[in-house]
Amino acid sequence: MDAAVERDFREFVEARSPALMRMAFLLTGGDQHAAEDLLQTALAKVATRWRSVDSPESYVRQVIYRQQVSWWRLKWHRHETRVAVPPDEVREDGTSAVDLKMTVRAALARLTSRQRAVLVLRFFEDLPEAEVARLLDCSVGTVRSTTHRSLARLRVLAPELEETLKEVRR
């Protein structure tokens, strides 16, 4: 990689790393270390092809999605599921947003990697089903059924999120 290409790559990484890290964090179920590994692996893969990349942002995101898919397909790549204890009551003193984040994070961490990836792509990234299917290399029907099962599982894991899930479906 020559100096100009390397500088261009470094500028991209500096500018887009926070947003890419947030996405990787969600895809890994709130595991900071796994998210860092995922992003670093994706950026290392992209660096080798940086000269030929037309749309860096979308290309890096696609590499991240596909890397996550390949990790969840490997049997040895199983992570311990962490469970935070949700509060007994909902408070209106400003901590409810933090409580909601903790509850969502704990519930997402208990989903499978595939379920988490589908939900992140559909609702956080706001991608259409066809695009999610293309990125995850599966059918649109699989995306639909996985979305349905994932939301149903979230309802079981965190019934207090029902109002939030109703808003998502609208």
Side-chain angles (χ1 to χ4, degrees):
M1 188 182 295
D2 65 19
V5 174
E6 183 177 343
R7 185 178 57 249
D8 185 38
F9 179 71
R10 286 180 185 271
E11 288 172 0
F12 171 80
V13 170
E14 287 176 21
R16 299 306 304 151
S17 282
L20 295 169
M21 185 62 192
R22 281 190 300 272
M23 183 192 59
F25 184 79
L26 290 170
L27 285 172
T28 59
D31 185 338
Q32 181 73 24
H33 298 294
E36 290 169 356
D37 289 345
L38 179 60
L39 181 57
Q40 182 177 3
T41 301
L43 289 174
K45 288 182 176 186
V46 170
T48 62
R49 298 184 178 162
W50 187 252
R51 288 178 203 213
S52 62
V53 174
D54 293 330
S55 177
E57 179 84 14
S58 61
Y59 186 73
V60 171
R61 286 178 181 270
Q62 184 173 5
V63 171
I64 289 172
Y65 302 142
R66 292 194 174 178
Q67 183 63 47
Q68 180 66 11
V69 168
S70 71
W71 281 356
W72 90 51
R73 287 182 177 157
L74 295 174
K75 292 184 190 294
W76 61 265
H77 193 75
R78 302 281 189 239
H79 290 289
E80 178 180 322
T81 302
R82 287 183 231 105
V83 180
V85 179
D88 292 335
E89 59 187 55
V90 178
R91 294 178 230 128
E92 298 302 324
D93 63 355
T95 60
S96 61
V98 174
D99 291 341
L100 178 63
K101 285 181 183 179
M102 288 175 58
T103 303
V104 169
R105 183 178 295 159
L108 285 175
R110 294 182 64 197
L111 295 175
T112 66
S113 297
R114 182 180 202 109
Q115 289 174 326
R116 201 168 35 250
V118 168
L119 291 181
V120 168
L121 292 172
R122 285 287 291 128
F123 301 113
F124 181 75
E125 294 291 323
D126 199 27
L127 295 177
E129 291 170 339
E131 180 66 11
V132 174
R134 187 186 67 75
L135 287 170
L136 299 180
D137 195 26
C138 62
S139 70
V140 172
T142 299
V143 170
R144 287 180 184 155
S145 63
T146 303
T147 301
H148 176 74
R149 282 191 217 105
S150 303
L151 292 175
R153 182 77 177 132
L154 280 177
R155 282 186 206 94
V156 170
L157 295 173
E160 61 274 19
L161 295 176
E162 186 59 33
E163 286 301 314
T164 304
L165 289 175
K166 285 180 184 175
E167 290 176 20
V168 167
R169 285 181 291 210
R170 290 183 194 155

